[in-house]
Amino acid sequence: MPKPPHETGLLLPSREALLWARGDLAFVVEAARRAERAGFDSVWAGDSLLARPRGEPIALLAAVAGATQRVALGTAVLLPLLRHPITLAHSLATLDRISSGRLVVGVGPGADLPGTHAELAAVGVPSDRRVGALLSAVERCRRLWRNEEAGIELEPRPFSPGGPPIWLGGSGPRMLRDDEPETMIVLVSGALTTRRMRARTASRSPSWTASGRDPDGIATGAYLTVAVADSPSKAEGELDAYMRAYYGVPAEVMSKAQACHAGTLESAAAWFDEYRRAGAQHLVVRLARPDLSDYHDTIAPLLGAARPRS
């Protein structure tokens, strides 16, 4: 199987629209439209009910589907445990139909943080076995999409038989199981350094080959946050202001938990390239732009920095 192509996605500013655009989600749809026009391969929407509020991602991506024609539409990442599996399967199948098969479902169990536990408790879901519950929800969605669950016939069916591709957001051993041949894996967890990414990619290859999976056919990716400005010091200030507003902590703290960079477009390009060389076929890029000033105008230059170097 040939290696998946190198691609670049933009994380849409769905939380930022609440922080700095008075909840104007049309700003998010316009960002997706401009990302497609600039040449991005995909656009992505995050998910949080109470911890870090934003527009609901499935509904938001339905609006994006109507405003775009080519880009893949992804969730980075969806928290399935916030939704009943039957309702989730129905909503995702509908979105997959609306977008003519452009949906990619990135899912995750949610970080082990108080906010995650609080929002799961708010919907009456226990949070002590999140990974196992997540994998069970994904498996049930697939059964429902294939009409394999007795007594339930879910319509509409997804655009493609079996449903949209599932990307697991994480890099722990339970999220990299050898018995999931249909799963596309995107590494979005934590401050994943390029050294650790190379080591994980190398360690997976023997077990995947032994189980009949082609390591070269599994898409790997990285979720990267970047602030860009004319000078490194200005970019560092923007990243700090962004993190304080978004998470309530300084950039210094968040950089220990997430892959972040602050600098010029040139330094960002070199940083992105390190992840490409470490094995990331797909980069999902989040632009840290506090108050959203010049956000739309920065989309095209950001893609230029994130594209693979020849």
Side-chain angles (χ1 to χ4, degrees):
M1 180 184 294
K3 287 187 177 182
H6 286 284
E7 295 184 335
T8 308
L10 177 70
L11 187 77
L12 296 172
S14 58
R15 172 149 173 75
E16 294 88 330
L18 270 67
L19 290 172
W20 295 298
R22 299 180 298 279
D24 180 12
L25 295 180
F27 185 97
V28 182
V29 177
E30 179 62 18
R33 187 183 292 112
R34 293 191 183 219
E36 179 175 73
R37 189 183 311 153
F40 275 91
D41 301 292
S42 58
V43 293
W44 302 74
D47 187 21
S48 182
L49 182 63
L50 301 173
R52 289 175 292 279
R54 67 197 69 208
E56 200 285 323
I58 299 174
L60 185 56
L61 289 175
V64 171
T68 58
Q69 297 180 333
R70 174 190 56 81
V71 288
L73 312 176
T75 55
V77 291
L78 190 74
L79 306 180
L81 301 187
L82 294 175
R83 301 158 177 86
H84 190 282
I86 296 177
T87 303
L88 175 63
H90 188 212
S91 298
L92 291 174
T94 301
L95 175 56
D96 198 39
R97 281 283 176 182
I98 291 171
S99 64
S100 299
R102 289 188 281 149
L103 179 61
V104 177
V105 185
V107 297
D112 189 14
L113 295 171
T116 300
H117 297 290
E119 60 186 2
L120 288 174
V123 296
V125 173
S127 59
D128 56 338
R129 292 183 174 86
R130 297 188 314 284
V131 173
L134 162 70
L135 296 175
S136 295
V138 168
E139 290 166 1
R140 190 173 187 193
C141 282
R142 285 178 169 154
R143 291 197 306 271
L144 289 163
W145 289 335
R146 293 171 176 153
N147 195 26
E148 294 176 350
E149 191 157 321
I152 299 177
E153 186 171 347
L154 198 63
E155 295 286 351
R157 292 278 188 273
F159 186 82
S160 301
I166 305 289
W167 287 21
L168 298 182
S171 55
R174 293 206 64 198
M175 301 293 280
L176 301 175
R177 302 186 308 174
D178 295 335
D179 61 346
E180 281 281 2
E182 298 168 283
T183 297
M184 307 283 280
I185 297 171
V186 58
L187 300 176
V188 299
S189 64
L192 188 68
T193 64
T194 54
R195 179 180 59 80
R196 287 179 58 211
M197 190 168 185
R198 286 192 185 95
R200 288 189 182 278
T201 300
S203 68
R204 291 197 308 266
S205 295
S207 62
W208 280 347
T209 301
S211 64
R213 302 173 72 180
D214 180 358
D216 287 342
I218 301 297
T220 58
Y223 180 127
L224 306 175
T225 299
V226 61
V228 292
D230 295 336
S231 68
S233 60
K234 183 178 179 181
E236 289 168 4
E238 290 196 352
L239 181 63
D240 188 66
Y242 178 87
M243 292 301 185
R244 288 177 185 273
Y246 201 108
Y247 297 103
V249 297
E252 181 181 4
V253 173
M254 287 310 301
S255 293
K256 296 176 182 177
Q258 298 182 356
C260 304
H261 178 81
T264 63
L265 281 169
E266 291 74 16
S267 70
W271 185 63
F272 291 139
D273 191 56
E274 290 177 7
Y275 281 89
R276 300 279 192 196
R277 293 178 183 276
Q281 283 96 22
H282 200 124
L283 301 186
V284 177
V285 179
R286 177 171 63 162
L287 176 60
R289 183 54 57 91
D291 76 20
L292 293 175
S293 60
D294 299 325
Y295 185 95
H296 292 325
D297 293 336
T298 310
I299 287 176
L302 183 64
L303 175 60
R307 272 181 169 151
R309 296 187 178 187
S310 56

